[in-house]
Amino acid sequence: MSLLSRLQNDQVVSPVITKEAATSRYLDIVYRIHREIIREMGQESLNNRKREDIESKIRGISDTIFESEYDNLPRSEREVILNQVIDEVLAYGPLSPLLRDDSISEIMVNGPKQVFVERRGKIEKVKVVFRDNLHLHTVIERIISPLGRRLDESSPMVDARLPDGSRVNAIIPPLAINGCVLTIRKFSKNLLKTADLIRNNTMSSHMAKFLEACVKGRMSMIVSGGTGAGKTSTLNIISGFIPHDERIITIEDSAELVLNQEHVVTLETRPSNIDNRGEVSIRDLVRNSLRMRPDRIVVGEVRGGEALDMLQAMNTGHDGSLSTAHANSPRDMLSRLETMVLMAGMEMPMKAIREQIASAIDFIVHQSRMSDGTRKITHITEVVGMETDIITLQDIFIFDQTGIDERGRVQGRHRATGIKPKCLDKLKTAGIIIPDEFFA
Ligand SMILES: Nc1ncnc2c1ncn2[C@@H]1O[C@H](COP(=O)(O)OP(=O)(O)OP(=O)(O)O)[C@@H](O)[C@H]1O
Ligand SMILES: [Mg+2]
């Protein structure tokens, strides 16, 4: 079991350090004891000993220092410091309490003296600091080196996935001007489910039922939205609606999707090695997947030329495929797709590209992170077809924002627009009936 997952399971380090304790109050004492431990035990022996041995050794050394230099520190405070020392020696230093805290979904370290986290959708600054940039660099190394990755002048940017599914990105000077920058998207242990999204008003129950019908009826869909809007979470949920007797191939940069169906093949890209060779891109995997007899292809995110391969797949019998992409609105999603298709490097007239898009994609599900940190599916928009050179869209469900209450919470409701989707006939042929009142 990895250190991180042990840490997160809380099996090892005894009491969870409170947010308050994770501040810089006692950093000097922590570092003083840490230095002493390294001096007495040496890094080598730290790496090779059993955890329990090291912990009891740390206790011994700390007690001696407390008695001789800080004898007026109360017991409770000593315990706090001791835990910070244990984190320093055996875990990820100042990051450890943040990694253990399940209410934190994202950790953003902007150089040694500035750390932000995202909690319940809101970004806040925390009082966590590193001694200096070298300290931060050491912690980052400790995170990525067990994954076989390194971070130095020749590879100053690293993207990695921890064994527990968390996503890590690190970039160091001189590319990052103010010191090492580390971003961790923590893997949520409680994967969001349809019921959660209805309960927290990400969507209405009618919208959920409609999306389920669309997936079952093999509509091809793209979940669009900004960074951290919840696209992957929503993709995960709607992929869950794919019937169990279909063969699903998922393609991702770092495997985030967790599907419960039995027949799932998971593919993950590979970055190039030190000599810039051996890269396997999303596009390579999409192409390869077509030779793997998929019923459905689920692509974690389309960003470039793979969009063309996806569209072609959707247009040639692999309908019902699903993906996400970055965009500010359903309409913006269309222009992003055009750009991505152009990135494939094929000479294609714009009209032909638009025709591909219009016939491949049935629905755009647009999700936003609202000003109060909540996530909402703001549009379920049907791609209707082409009118002269323009792709026509119609909103089927939208979120109607009416205002913001005195506590900053977004007010409004999800509603049908009154337009009946064009796909109803196709769904009906597949034996899927949606009551008319859904769209009233
Ligand atoms: N509907 C939701 N309600 C509340 N929290 C959500 C919801 N969807 C996602 N989240 C939380 O938001 C964070 C980002 O979610 P997710 O990874 O799905 O977003 P994303 O749009 O795919 O991000 P990225 O742009 O980085 O790929 C996660 O911590 C997740 O738990
Ligand atoms: Mg995502």
Side-chain angles (χ1 to χ4, degrees):
M1 199 191 263
S2 79
L3 197 55
L4 185 81
S5 48
R6 282 194 296 166
L7 194 70
Q8 292 190 327
N9 288 343
D10 265 332
Q11 288 172 355
V12 188
V13 187
S14 6
V16 174
I17 300 174
T18 60
K19 187 176 156 202
E20 180 55 27
T23 65
S24 52
R25 265 190 304 161
Y26 295 123
L27 274 191
D28 289 344
I29 312 181
V30 171
Y31 296 146
R32 159 89 184 84
I33 299 175
H34 187 208
R35 267 199 310 277
E36 190 59 28
I37 289 165
I38 300 281
R39 203 179 63 77
E40 278 197 30
M41 300 178 73
Q43 191 63 46
E44 184 99 356
S45 107
L46 279 177
N47 295 342
N48 295 329
R49 285 220 215 169
K50 285 230 304 272
R51 186 172 179 115
E52 298 80 62
D53 292 351
I54 301 176
E55 272 201 48
S56 73
K57 191 86 185 158
I58 293 175
R59 266 179 202 281
I61 295 174
S62 306
D63 279 342
T64 315
I65 294 181
F66 286 142
E67 288 312 321
S68 61
E69 296 173 33
Y70 308 98
D71 61 335
N72 54 358
L73 262 184
R75 189 80 253 150
S76 56
E77 305 292 281
R78 290 184 188 190
E79 201 58 30
V80 167
I81 294 173
L82 183 65
N83 280 312
Q84 288 192 46
V85 175
I86 292 175
D87 277 344
E88 200 56 54
V89 178
L90 288 167
Y92 303 109
L95 278 186
S96 303
L98 305 179
L99 287 166
R100 276 194 295 267
D101 185 339
D102 280 339
S103 70
I104 292 177
S105 52
E106 193 130 13
I107 303 171
M108 293 151 273
V109 183
N110 310 336
K113 302 294 177 198
Q114 198 184 53
V115 181
F116 289 89
V117 300
E118 185 186 297
R119 240 193 212 108
R120 285 177 279 281
K122 287 287 223 189
I123 293 182
E124 58 185 80
K125 189 163 182 225
V126 287
K127 290 183 189 153
V128 171
V129 290
F130 294 79
R131 196 168 44 225
D132 49 28
N133 202 46
L134 183 64
H135 183 205
L136 172 55
H137 196 137
T138 313
V139 170
I140 298 177
E141 285 280 349
R142 203 179 277 179
I143 294 175
I144 62 169
S145 64
L147 310 172
R149 311 296 295 277
R150 47 177 221 165
L151 194 62
D152 52 31
E153 214 149 279
S154 67
S155 64
M157 295 184 274
V158 167
D159 238 334
R161 182 167 53 90
L162 298 179
D164 76 341
S166 300
R167 250 169 35 183
V168 177
N169 176 274
I171 178 163
I172 59 171
L175 304 184
I177 305 285
N178 301 324
C180 301
V181 176
L182 173 71
T183 317
I184 302 180
R185 158 75 49 82
K186 283 166 69 182
F187 183 78
S188 164
K189 271 179 251 165
N190 311 314
L191 264 189
L192 291 164
K193 302 216 164 52
T194 314
D196 300 314
L197 264 59
I198 296 171
R199 200 174 316 117
N200 73 11
N201 288 319
T202 302
M203 61 178 161
S204 67
S205 59
H206 275 187
M207 288 160 82
K209 290 227 171 65
F210 180 68
L211 290 176
E212 179 171 0
C214 288
V215 172
K216 296 215 156 98
R218 301 196 69 89
M219 296 294 135
S220 294
M221 301 204 262
I222 299 232
V223 181
S224 70
T227 310
K231 302 180 296 294
T232 304
S233 306
T234 296
L235 177 67
N236 199 62
I237 286 170
I238 62 176
S239 304
F241 297 138
I242 298 174
H244 281 250
D245 55 356
E246 297 192 21
R247 175 169 162 87
I248 307 169
I249 300 189
T250 69
I251 298 171
E252 294 171 273
D253 270 330
S254 57
E256 291 180 276
L257 298 170
V258 183
L259 299 185
N260 290 323
Q261 289 91 332
E262 195 184 4
H263 199 158
V264 181
V265 177
T266 307
L267 303 179
E268 199 178 62
T269 58
R270 186 176 70 185
S272 51
N273 65 14
I274 299 166
D275 317 318
N276 255 333
R277 287 162 52 169
E279 182 190 358
V280 180
S281 67
I282 292 265
R283 185 159 195 205
D284 300 325
L285 293 178
V286 170
R287 289 177 166 185
N288 193 75
S289 72
L290 298 177
R291 285 173 236 128
M292 297 170 69
R293 203 220 159 268
D295 286 313
R296 310 265 192 156
I297 303 169
V298 180
V299 179
E301 184 175 339
V302 285
R303 265 191 233 109
E306 64 271 12
L308 177 62
D309 303 86
M310 269 270 300
L311 294 175
Q312 283 173 342
M314 288 168 170
N315 278 330
T316 53
H318 300 290
D319 45 356
S321 293
L322 307 169
S323 189
T324 78
H326 225 270
N328 301 325
S329 67
R331 176 62 63 186
D332 182 43
M333 184 71 262
L334 297 177
S335 42
R336 298 275 170 144
L337 277 172
E338 286 168 13
T339 313
M340 289 187 232
V341 169
L342 289 172
M343 285 160 83
M346 291 244 290
E347 294 283 325
M348 265 171 96
M350 194 48 90
K351 180 149 192 232
I353 295 178
R354 292 194 178 148
E355 275 162 359
Q356 283 261 6
I357 296 174
S359 70
I361 297 182
D362 299 296
F363 281 95
I364 298 169
V365 178
H366 187 75
Q367 183 155 342
S368 291
R369 180 190 353 208
M370 312 301 280
S371 56
D372 61 356
T374 59
R375 269 71 170 188
K376 301 230 181 282
I377 294 182
T378 58
H379 299 78
I380 297 181
T381 300
E382 184 171 34
V383 181
V384 187
M386 292 275 287
E387 240 166 58
T388 60
D389 280 0
I390 308 290
I391 301 174
T392 42
L393 297 176
Q394 59 185 18
D395 295 336
I396 307 299
F397 291 96
I398 54 165
F399 177 73
D400 234 348
Q401 183 169 347
T402 50
I404 289 178
D405 75 5
E406 67 286 351
R407 287 161 65 187
R409 288 177 307 195
V410 168
Q411 304 288 297
R413 66 183 185 100
H414 286 105
R415 66 170 177 85
T417 56
I419 298 173
K420 267 202 203 170
K422 195 187 80 172
C423 71
L424 286 185
D425 291 338
K426 198 170 153 196
L427 291 179
K428 206 166 166 186
T429 325
I432 300 166
I433 312 274
I434 306 172
D436 275 354
E437 76 228 29
F438 268 51
F439 310 109

